[in-house]
Every structure is written in C-alpha cells, then in structure tokens.
Amino acid sequence: MSSVIIMFTLMLISFTGYGIYLKSKFNLVPAAIPIVLFSSIVVVLFISGLVQLILPAVYLIFAVGLLLFVYGLFLMARDKRLFINLLTPSTVFFIAGTAFFAFLLRDAIFIQYDIFSHWGLIVKEMVEENSLPDRSTVITFRNYPPGTAIFVYYVVTLVGYSESAALIGQGVLIAGLLSTFFIFSSWKKPFAVIASFFVALFLLLVDGDNVYSLLVDLILGYIPAAALLVAYYYRDRFEKMTVLLMPILSFVILTKDSGKIFYAFCLIWLIGLMINYVKNHRLKGRAKGKAFLCGFVNLLAIPIAMNFLFMAYTLFAYDASYGSNRHAVTAGRFSLDRFTSDFGRTMVSKLGHAIADSTLVHLMVISSVIAVAAIFIIRALDKRWPKTLSWSVIFVNLFQALYGALLYLLYLFLMPENEAINLAGFTRYEASAAIFCMGTLLVFIIREITRLERYWLLKVVMAASIGLLLLPIKGEADALLHQKMSKGSLRLEALDMYHKLEKAENISGQDEVTLIQDLGHRDSFYLDHVMTYERLNFNTYTFTYCDSEKLKQRLNKDLKKSDYLVVTRNIGKDMKQCIGSQMEVKKGAYKVEDGKITERVNLPQGDETEQ
C-alpha cells in the first residue's frame, strides 16, 4: 500500500510539473491545464500504442513531468508570483476533487455490468499486454474507442493495477475535467467561485453512481462542454486556441463513437468563433489565411485523422470493420419503411414520453429559463445585450432537439428491436447531452452575471438559483457516497470459489472450467462477463439456471470440454437433474474427465460452508 501511495503522489507531482511549465511558458489559464494535459496524454499514448510503444511512452511522460517539476521549483523560487497565479479556484477544486475520489474509491471494486463486458476489461487487458488490444483480445466490443481506458491505463501502470486504482484514475480525470468549469472564476469573484462549484457538483450528481464504474457517458458530456469554454476563453487568441483545442477535440472522438456528434457541434461553435475573430480583428490576406489554416489543421484535420487512425487500427489489429460495430451508421441499416411501420410509430411515442418525463430534460428547460431571465435582467440593468449568453441558449437547445432526433434514429435503425423497445441506454445517452448543454449554459450565465460590477443581491439570487438545480437530483448524493453492492455479493461468491480452486489445483488459463451459480433465473451473462474479465479468456462456461432440455444439453456439452466444475452454492432440483451425476454435487469444486465428475477437490478455508 505504501508503494501505491508513493507512486500516486509522484504521478500527481509529475502532473504538477507539466502544470507549472504550461503556466510559466505559455501562460495557460490554470482551469484549462488539466483538460489540455490529460487530453494530450491520451493522444500521445494512443499514437504510441499504434506503433507498439505505449509502455515506454508512459514512463517517458511520467519522467519528463518529474523533471519539469524540479524545473518548476526553480522558477517559483525566482518568482513567487508563479505559485500564487497557479493557486486559483480551479486548482484548489482539482486538488480537493482528486483527494476526495482517492479517499472515496480506495476500497471500491468493480460491480457494474458494463465494466466486465468492456470498460474494465479493456483496461485490464492493456495492463496485462502493455499494448492496445490486438487479434488475441477477449474484447468483443472492438470498435469502442479507447480514450478514457488509455488514461486509466496510464494511472494504473504507474501506481499498480487494482480495481480501486482504476476507479481512482478515472476520478482524477473527472476532477480535472470539472475544474475547467471554473474558467471564469477568481478569488476576487466569490459569486463565480460559489456558482461554479454548484455547477461542478450538479454535473457530478447527474449520475452519482457513475464514479464506481468506468463508463464514459458523463465524461462524454464533460469534455466537449469544457472544450467550448476553453475555446471561448481564448477566442481573441485564435491560433493559440486551436492548438489547445486539438488534443481536446481528439479526445472527444477517442472517447466514444457518438463523440462525433458532440465534436460536430463543437465545430459549429468554433466556426462561429473563427468568423467572429476574423471580423473583429479585420483580418485580410495572409493573416486571414493563417487563421483559416490553423483552424483547418488543428480543429478539423488532426481530430478527424485520429478517427481514421482508430478505424485503420481496428482493421489492422483484429479485422473489425466499422460496420461490425453494433450501432455503426451504415447505409444498409436504413430503410424508409421503418418510419411508417408500427415499430416506428411506437418508438416515436415511447421516446417522446421518455424525453417528456426525463428529470434532466426538465432541468435543461429550467436552466434555459434562468438564462433567458438573466439576459433580460442584464439588458435592463447594464443596458447591453449579452450576445454570448443569448447565442448559448439557442445553441444548446438546438443541440438538445437534434440530439433527440438522432436518438430516435439510433433506436429505429441501429439498435436491435428488443433493446430499442425498452429504450436501452436512454438514461446514459440523455445524461451526456444534459451535461454538455447545462454545463455550457450555466457557466456562461455565471460569466455574464459576474461582469455586473454591482448588484450583489442579484448575484446571490442567481447563485441560489443554480444551487436549487441540485434539489431534484439530491438523491444521487447517496449513490455517489455509497457504492451499491447488489450484484457485488454474486461476483464475490463466484470468485471466492474460483480462487480457492486456483490455489488448490494451480490451474492455468488453458484449463477449462464450468461454473454454476444456481440463481434460478437468467443473469444476462453477468457471470460470464465477470469470469472473462477475471481470467482474460473464454475458457469458463457459466450457468445460473437450467430449466430446459436445451440448457441441459449445453451444460453437458460444456462439461465434456471442462477440466473442473465449480459450484458456488448448493443447487436446486432442476440443476441437479441437468448435471445428472451419480456423485452428490453441492457447493464446492470437482475434477471432470470426459464430461464425468470424478472427484471432489479439497479446497482451503472451509469449502463445506452451507449457503
């Protein structure tokens, strides 16, 4: 444990070294440092992974950061203002957030289904192989971009792999992204600090349980929202802005396939800023051409190149074309008949009701009302139209409307009907959009209200209004602070028996195991994914019930391939009939030869315990 703490501290010191350098060399606003740094790490490691150099790149990035920290100490000794300039509200939030996640997640384990089916699986496999997945991978969702997994890989490679370390790694990323929402805050503007904290807390509580998973849906909202804020902050230094946005936009694309939607809307925003920049600075000739070239290369060409590199990698690494993605957008999936079919009409109704009933959509409407109220109040008091806030209201509501339409197309054409009819993933998809929209809108409200030199009572009311948005989701605080263990006991029960067998028989990954956890019902392959994650192979055959001849035949077929049988709890009548062994089978482990249970394995530490 002490070595983990030491390496975690050194990693943070390395991050600090980069932060000091970016501030001293490029005068980068501290609120933008974490997102620029973390995005750059992901892009560099992704490219390094393509050429099989990801592990050396991890240690090179780490070592350079430590050297920059030593250099930074020298700089701060010469100019103490550098330390003061770094210690902004965003920096304090990042430090506090990192400490909070490290403490909260120190004993957390993986439980959530999607961790075992993909997001935790890819991290563990990358750590085992020290490479991006290739043809030998056990990952089945091979077209899912690896952006956040790469960052988590960076963290756990340095501090040592454990499930809690992986979750803390993602927590560090979340803290860094949320600190960007303090970009218009300073210690001289207490309203902005307090309101920005409310915004960050709100965005975290959109799904409090998310911190115990490695799912990317909330992060998919954080990154593009933060990108828009950084872009606006540097709108009058356009060339610098495009350089800073290049890794961030690349990270958006490398986070999730639907990140391209968010990237496209970021691009619309950035085109508007570019046109405004050229107009306000009256650029002509070579200067105008230079601005457009910077925009084309850094905001369009390089992020799109990252997408093509990932697509080319999937083809080269394991012959997985884009079309093999279960939600891939290809011409063959679209049929106009679906619009007029009963299914199409049903989906309009179901999705419409889901959107109308969504708490996040209600909060989005309330945020827009607050923004519109702020626009007219500022007009009345300050005799000006807050154009940026006005355009932000139009922009985020247009995005929300188009995103809803795209969700309809997703369910109608790209998702299996049995999943679509139940609106699978709707809550997570809507969370990404809500975070992107509300995160952007609320921060621009804060910026505009902060510009008012007087009217402290108005600022208090506005901060309270933003804080009140927390009330409808206050229940998420408990989900954030306490990990739900509903399925954790099932996983731990299975692993307890498996690890005892592993210890008793010294089994290898090549040994095939049939594992029975008689729940009496389906578990949607949860146990199957758990064991694939645990063993990093497909040599475990799992059963949670057996109530048909078909399942009986499958169980006996898998037993014939197996070297061992593991039974995690005493089994019921149906399962006993399916096994059909002359030997009494109860909780424990057994050797299997040619489908026949031959003998019971003596397991350590009380394997006879009844359950």
Side-chain angles (χ1 to χ4, degrees), residues 536-557:
L536 291 181
N537 60 45
F538 298 117
N539 291 337
T540 307
Y541 315 109
T542 64
F543 293 84
T544 59
Y545 73 110
C546 186
D547 62 358
S548 66
E549 185 63 28
K550 183 178 179 180
L551 278 172
K552 178 179 179 180
Q553 291 175 3
R554 200 191 105 197
L555 174 56
N556 282 278
K557 180 181 177 181

PDB file of all heavy atoms in Angstrom, residues 536-557:
ATOM      1  N   LEU A 536      -9.359 -13.423 -18.369  1.00  0.00           N
ATOM      2  CA  LEU A 536      -8.929 -12.875 -19.651  1.00  0.00           C
ATOM      3  C   LEU A 536      -8.892 -13.943 -20.736  1.00  0.00           C
ATOM      4  O   LEU A 536      -7.980 -14.000 -21.567  1.00  0.00           O
ATOM      5  CB  LEU A 536      -7.563 -12.179 -19.527  1.00  0.00           C
ATOM      6  CG  LEU A 536      -7.548 -10.874 -18.726  1.00  0.00           C
ATOM      7  CD1 LEU A 536      -6.147 -10.278 -18.701  1.00  0.00           C
ATOM      8  CD2 LEU A 536      -8.548  -9.867 -19.267  1.00  0.00           C
ATOM      9  N   ASN A 537      -9.881 -14.819 -20.707  1.00  0.00           N
ATOM     10  CA  ASN A 537     -10.064 -15.812 -21.774  1.00  0.00           C
ATOM     11  C   ASN A 537     -11.520 -16.259 -21.768  1.00  0.00           C
ATOM     12  O   ASN A 537     -12.310 -15.848 -20.913  1.00  0.00           O
ATOM     13  CB  ASN A 537      -9.106 -17.005 -21.612  1.00  0.00           C
ATOM     14  CG  ASN A 537      -9.301 -17.740 -20.297  1.00  0.00           C
ATOM     15  OD1 ASN A 537     -10.423 -18.012 -19.882  1.00  0.00           O
ATOM     16  ND2 ASN A 537      -8.191 -18.076 -19.628  1.00  0.00           N
ATOM     17  N   PHE A 538     -11.844 -17.102 -22.730  1.00  0.00           N
ATOM     18  CA  PHE A 538     -13.221 -17.599 -22.843  1.00  0.00           C
ATOM     19  C   PHE A 538     -13.338 -19.052 -22.382  1.00  0.00           C
ATOM     20  O   PHE A 538     -14.208 -19.787 -22.838  1.00  0.00           O
ATOM     21  CB  PHE A 538     -13.713 -17.477 -24.284  1.00  0.00           C
ATOM     22  CG  PHE A 538     -13.773 -16.061 -24.789  1.00  0.00           C
ATOM     23  CD1 PHE A 538     -12.976 -15.651 -25.846  1.00  0.00           C
ATOM     24  CD2 PHE A 538     -14.626 -15.138 -24.205  1.00  0.00           C
ATOM     25  CE1 PHE A 538     -13.039 -14.349 -26.316  1.00  0.00           C
ATOM     26  CE2 PHE A 538     -14.703 -13.837 -24.668  1.00  0.00           C
ATOM     27  CZ  PHE A 538     -13.904 -13.437 -25.720  1.00  0.00           C
ATOM     28  N   ASN A 539     -12.483 -19.458 -21.454  1.00  0.00           N
ATOM     29  CA  ASN A 539     -12.432 -20.857 -21.035  1.00  0.00           C
ATOM     30  C   ASN A 539     -13.278 -21.161 -19.805  1.00  0.00           C
ATOM     31  O   ASN A 539     -13.052 -22.166 -19.125  1.00  0.00           O
ATOM     32  CB  ASN A 539     -10.975 -21.271 -20.774  1.00  0.00           C
ATOM     33  CG  ASN A 539     -10.169 -21.332 -22.062  1.00  0.00           C
ATOM     34  OD1 ASN A 539     -10.745 -21.493 -23.140  1.00  0.00           O
ATOM     35  ND2 ASN A 539      -8.859 -21.203 -21.958  1.00  0.00           N
ATOM     36  N   THR A 540     -14.228 -20.295 -19.516  1.00  0.00           N
ATOM     37  CA  THR A 540     -15.141 -20.548 -18.407  1.00  0.00           C
ATOM     38  C   THR A 540     -16.568 -20.553 -18.938  1.00  0.00           C
ATOM     39  O   THR A 540     -16.975 -19.634 -19.649  1.00  0.00           O
ATOM     40  CB  THR A 540     -15.018 -19.469 -17.316  1.00  0.00           C
ATOM     41  OG1 THR A 540     -13.652 -19.348 -16.928  1.00  0.00           O
ATOM     42  CG2 THR A 540     -15.850 -19.834 -16.091  1.00  0.00           C
ATOM     43  N   TYR A 541     -17.318 -21.595 -18.586  1.00  0.00           N
ATOM     44  CA  TYR A 541     -18.700 -21.729 -19.051  1.00  0.00           C
ATOM     45  C   TYR A 541     -19.614 -21.582 -17.837  1.00  0.00           C
ATOM     46  O   TYR A 541     -19.497 -22.349 -16.869  1.00  0.00           O
ATOM     47  CB  TYR A 541     -18.902 -23.090 -19.722  1.00  0.00           C
ATOM     48  CG  TYR A 541     -17.773 -23.423 -20.679  1.00  0.00           C
ATOM     49  CD1 TYR A 541     -16.839 -24.427 -20.374  1.00  0.00           C
ATOM     50  CD2 TYR A 541     -17.604 -22.719 -21.857  1.00  0.00           C
ATOM     51  CE1 TYR A 541     -15.790 -24.712 -21.228  1.00  0.00           C
ATOM     52  CE2 TYR A 541     -16.561 -22.998 -22.729  1.00  0.00           C
ATOM     53  CZ  TYR A 541     -15.656 -23.996 -22.410  1.00  0.00           C
ATOM     54  OH  TYR A 541     -14.613 -24.277 -23.258  1.00  0.00           O
ATOM     55  N   THR A 542     -20.476 -20.604 -17.876  1.00  0.00           N
ATOM     56  CA  THR A 542     -21.260 -20.266 -16.687  1.00  0.00           C
ATOM     57  C   THR A 542     -22.739 -20.612 -16.859  1.00  0.00           C
ATOM     58  O   THR A 542     -23.303 -20.480 -17.948  1.00  0.00           O
ATOM     59  CB  THR A 542     -21.123 -18.768 -16.365  1.00  0.00           C
ATOM     60  OG1 THR A 542     -21.690 -18.002 -17.435  1.00  0.00           O
ATOM     61  CG2 THR A 542     -19.664 -18.382 -16.189  1.00  0.00           C
ATOM     62  N   PHE A 543     -23.346 -21.010 -15.752  1.00  0.00           N
ATOM     63  CA  PHE A 543     -24.771 -21.334 -15.727  1.00  0.00           C
ATOM     64  C   PHE A 543     -25.377 -20.801 -14.429  1.00  0.00           C
ATOM     65  O   PHE A 543     -24.839 -21.029 -13.348  1.00  0.00           O
ATOM     66  CB  PHE A 543     -24.990 -22.854 -15.798  1.00  0.00           C
ATOM     67  CG  PHE A 543     -24.579 -23.451 -17.116  1.00  0.00           C
ATOM     68  CD1 PHE A 543     -23.245 -23.800 -17.349  1.00  0.00           C
ATOM     69  CD2 PHE A 543     -25.501 -23.651 -18.127  1.00  0.00           C
ATOM     70  CE1 PHE A 543     -22.853 -24.340 -18.563  1.00  0.00           C
ATOM     71  CE2 PHE A 543     -25.117 -24.182 -19.353  1.00  0.00           C
ATOM     72  CZ  PHE A 543     -23.789 -24.533 -19.573  1.00  0.00           C
ATOM     73  N   THR A 544     -26.487 -20.096 -14.571  1.00  0.00           N
ATOM     74  CA  THR A 544     -27.191 -19.583 -13.389  1.00  0.00           C
ATOM     75  C   THR A 544     -28.558 -20.239 -13.214  1.00  0.00           C
ATOM     76  O   THR A 544     -29.226 -20.004 -12.213  1.00  0.00           O
ATOM     77  CB  THR A 544     -27.378 -18.056 -13.477  1.00  0.00           C
ATOM     78  OG1 THR A 544     -28.126 -17.749 -14.666  1.00  0.00           O
ATOM     79  CG2 THR A 544     -26.033 -17.353 -13.523  1.00  0.00           C
ATOM     80  N   TYR A 545     -28.970 -21.029 -14.199  1.00  0.00           N
ATOM     81  CA  TYR A 545     -30.209 -21.802 -14.075  1.00  0.00           C
ATOM     82  C   TYR A 545     -30.199 -22.880 -15.158  1.00  0.00           C
ATOM     83  O   TYR A 545     -29.404 -22.832 -16.105  1.00  0.00           O
ATOM     84  CB  TYR A 545     -31.436 -20.907 -14.234  1.00  0.00           C
ATOM     85  CG  TYR A 545     -31.703 -20.448 -15.645  1.00  0.00           C
ATOM     86  CD1 TYR A 545     -32.799 -20.927 -16.356  1.00  0.00           C
ATOM     87  CD2 TYR A 545     -30.846 -19.543 -16.282  1.00  0.00           C
ATOM     88  CE1 TYR A 545     -33.046 -20.521 -17.651  1.00  0.00           C
ATOM     89  CE2 TYR A 545     -31.086 -19.126 -17.572  1.00  0.00           C
ATOM     90  CZ  TYR A 545     -32.178 -19.615 -18.264  1.00  0.00           C
ATOM     91  OH  TYR A 545     -32.414 -19.214 -19.548  1.00  0.00           O
ATOM     92  N   CYS A 546     -31.063 -23.848 -15.016  1.00  0.00           N
ATOM     93  CA  CYS A 546     -31.184 -24.902 -16.023  1.00  0.00           C
ATOM     94  C   CYS A 546     -32.608 -25.469 -15.926  1.00  0.00           C
ATOM     95  O   CYS A 546     -32.903 -26.261 -15.035  1.00  0.00           O
ATOM     96  CB  CYS A 546     -30.146 -26.001 -15.788  1.00  0.00           C
ATOM     97  SG  CYS A 546     -30.103 -27.253 -17.097  1.00  0.00           S
ATOM     98  N   ASP A 547     -33.456 -25.040 -16.849  1.00  0.00           N
ATOM     99  CA  ASP A 547     -34.863 -25.441 -16.765  1.00  0.00           C
ATOM    100  C   ASP A 547     -35.408 -25.980 -18.083  1.00  0.00           C
ATOM    101  O   ASP A 547     -36.625 -26.004 -18.297  1.00  0.00           O
ATOM    102  CB  ASP A 547     -35.718 -24.258 -16.304  1.00  0.00           C
ATOM    103  CG  ASP A 547     -35.669 -23.085 -17.277  1.00  0.00           C
ATOM    104  OD1 ASP A 547     -34.942 -23.178 -18.301  1.00  0.00           O
ATOM    105  OD2 ASP A 547     -36.353 -22.084 -17.029  1.00  0.00           O
ATOM    106  N   SER A 548     -34.497 -26.416 -18.974  1.00  0.00           N
ATOM    107  CA  SER A 548     -34.960 -26.943 -20.259  1.00  0.00           C
ATOM    108  C   SER A 548     -33.980 -27.990 -20.770  1.00  0.00           C
ATOM    109  O   SER A 548     -32.824 -28.067 -20.321  1.00  0.00           O
ATOM    110  CB  SER A 548     -35.084 -25.815 -21.287  1.00  0.00           C
ATOM    111  OG  SER A 548     -33.808 -25.270 -21.594  1.00  0.00           O
ATOM    112  N   GLU A 549     -34.440 -28.782 -21.705  1.00  0.00           N
ATOM    113  CA  GLU A 549     -33.598 -29.806 -22.308  1.00  0.00           C
ATOM    114  C   GLU A 549     -32.439 -29.173 -23.067  1.00  0.00           C
ATOM    115  O   GLU A 549     -31.319 -29.699 -23.085  1.00  0.00           O
ATOM    116  CB  GLU A 549     -34.446 -30.679 -23.250  1.00  0.00           C
ATOM    117  CG  GLU A 549     -33.692 -31.856 -23.847  1.00  0.00           C
ATOM    118  CD  GLU A 549     -33.219 -32.857 -22.789  1.00  0.00           C
ATOM    119  OE1 GLU A 549     -33.875 -32.959 -21.721  1.00  0.00           O
ATOM    120  OE2 GLU A 549     -32.195 -33.532 -23.038  1.00  0.00           O
ATOM    121  N   LYS A 550     -32.716 -28.034 -23.683  1.00  0.00           N
ATOM    122  CA  LYS A 550     -31.677 -27.338 -24.444  1.00  0.00           C
ATOM    123  C   LYS A 550     -30.529 -26.911 -23.535  1.00  0.00           C
ATOM    124  O   LYS A 550     -29.349 -27.090 -23.871  1.00  0.00           O
ATOM    125  CB  LYS A 550     -32.281 -26.120 -25.149  1.00  0.00           C
ATOM    126  CG  LYS A 550     -31.306 -25.359 -26.033  1.00  0.00           C
ATOM    127  CD  LYS A 550     -32.001 -24.192 -26.735  1.00  0.00           C
ATOM    128  CE  LYS A 550     -31.009 -23.426 -27.599  1.00  0.00           C
ATOM    129  NZ  LYS A 550     -31.675 -22.285 -28.289  1.00  0.00           N
ATOM    130  N   LEU A 551     -30.864 -26.348 -22.375  1.00  0.00           N
ATOM    131  CA  LEU A 551     -29.823 -25.931 -21.438  1.00  0.00           C
ATOM    132  C   LEU A 551     -29.100 -27.136 -20.848  1.00  0.00           C
ATOM    133  O   LEU A 551     -27.886 -27.090 -20.609  1.00  0.00           O
ATOM    134  CB  LEU A 551     -30.432 -25.085 -20.317  1.00  0.00           C
ATOM    135  CG  LEU A 551     -30.674 -23.609 -20.633  1.00  0.00           C
ATOM    136  CD1 LEU A 551     -31.443 -22.944 -19.511  1.00  0.00           C
ATOM    137  CD2 LEU A 551     -29.357 -22.884 -20.873  1.00  0.00           C
ATOM    138  N   LYS A 552     -29.827 -28.224 -20.635  1.00  0.00           N
ATOM    139  CA  LYS A 552     -29.204 -29.445 -20.119  1.00  0.00           C
ATOM    140  C   LYS A 552     -28.159 -29.960 -21.103  1.00  0.00           C
ATOM    141  O   LYS A 552     -27.050 -30.349 -20.702  1.00  0.00           O
ATOM    142  CB  LYS A 552     -30.271 -30.509 -19.866  1.00  0.00           C
ATOM    143  CG  LYS A 552     -29.704 -31.833 -19.363  1.00  0.00           C
ATOM    144  CD  LYS A 552     -30.811 -32.843 -19.119  1.00  0.00           C
ATOM    145  CE  LYS A 552     -30.233 -34.169 -18.633  1.00  0.00           C
ATOM    146  NZ  LYS A 552     -31.305 -35.174 -18.385  1.00  0.00           N
ATOM    147  N   GLN A 553     -28.504 -29.958 -22.388  1.00  0.00           N
ATOM    148  CA  GLN A 553     -27.560 -30.415 -23.406  1.00  0.00           C
ATOM    149  C   GLN A 553     -26.342 -29.506 -23.468  1.00  0.00           C
ATOM    150  O   GLN A 553     -25.211 -29.979 -23.612  1.00  0.00           O
ATOM    151  CB  GLN A 553     -28.265 -30.471 -24.766  1.00  0.00           C
ATOM    152  CG  GLN A 553     -29.326 -31.561 -24.878  1.00  0.00           C
ATOM    153  CD  GLN A 553     -30.069 -31.508 -26.194  1.00  0.00           C
ATOM    154  OE1 GLN A 553     -29.777 -30.692 -27.072  1.00  0.00           O
ATOM    155  NE2 GLN A 553     -31.057 -32.387 -26.335  1.00  0.00           N
ATOM    156  N   ARG A 554     -26.578 -28.199 -23.351  1.00  0.00           N
ATOM    157  CA  ARG A 554     -25.457 -27.266 -23.382  1.00  0.00           C
ATOM    158  C   ARG A 554     -24.552 -27.453 -22.170  1.00  0.00           C
ATOM    159  O   ARG A 554     -23.317 -27.416 -22.270  1.00  0.00           O
ATOM    160  CB  ARG A 554     -25.978 -25.826 -23.407  1.00  0.00           C
ATOM    161  CG  ARG A 554     -24.943 -24.820 -23.921  1.00  0.00           C
ATOM    162  CD  ARG A 554     -25.390 -23.397 -23.688  1.00  0.00           C
ATOM    163  NE  ARG A 554     -24.637 -22.816 -22.581  1.00  0.00           N
ATOM    164  CZ  ARG A 554     -24.986 -21.732 -21.926  1.00  0.00           C
ATOM    165  NH1 ARG A 554     -26.120 -21.139 -22.204  1.00  0.00           N
ATOM    166  NH2 ARG A 554     -24.242 -21.263 -20.949  1.00  0.00           N
ATOM    167  N   LEU A 555     -25.139 -27.649 -21.003  1.00  0.00           N
ATOM    168  CA  LEU A 555     -24.354 -27.866 -19.791  1.00  0.00           C
ATOM    169  C   LEU A 555     -23.498 -29.117 -19.917  1.00  0.00           C
ATOM    170  O   LEU A 555     -22.299 -29.107 -19.584  1.00  0.00           O
ATOM    171  CB  LEU A 555     -25.284 -27.972 -18.580  1.00  0.00           C
ATOM    172  CG  LEU A 555     -24.632 -28.346 -17.237  1.00  0.00           C
ATOM    173  CD1 LEU A 555     -23.524 -27.377 -16.862  1.00  0.00           C
ATOM    174  CD2 LEU A 555     -25.685 -28.411 -16.130  1.00  0.00           C
ATOM    175  N   ASN A 556     -24.084 -30.199 -20.408  1.00  0.00           N
ATOM    176  CA  ASN A 556     -23.316 -31.437 -20.545  1.00  0.00           C
ATOM    177  C   ASN A 556     -22.239 -31.329 -21.624  1.00  0.00           C
ATOM    178  O   ASN A 556     -21.158 -31.904 -21.486  1.00  0.00           O
ATOM    179  CB  ASN A 556     -24.264 -32.600 -20.848  1.00  0.00           C
ATOM    180  CG  ASN A 556     -24.990 -33.079 -19.595  1.00  0.00           C
ATOM    181  OD1 ASN A 556     -24.466 -33.850 -18.810  1.00  0.00           O
ATOM    182  ND2 ASN A 556     -26.207 -32.581 -19.395  1.00  0.00           N
ATOM    183  N   LYS A 557     -22.525 -30.561 -22.662  1.00  0.00           N
ATOM    184  CA  LYS A 557     -21.529 -30.326 -23.708  1.00  0.00           C
ATOM    185  C   LYS A 557     -20.341 -29.552 -23.143  1.00  0.00           C
ATOM    186  O   LYS A 557     -19.176 -29.870 -23.428  1.00  0.00           O
ATOM    187  CB  LYS A 557     -22.162 -29.559 -24.862  1.00  0.00           C
ATOM    188  CG  LYS A 557     -21.212 -29.252 -26.006  1.00  0.00           C
ATOM    189  CD  LYS A 557     -21.919 -28.464 -27.113  1.00  0.00           C
ATOM    190  CE  LYS A 557     -20.945 -28.096 -28.218  1.00  0.00           C
ATOM    191  NZ  LYS A 557     -21.620 -27.302 -29.286  1.00  0.00           N
TER     192      LYS A 557
END
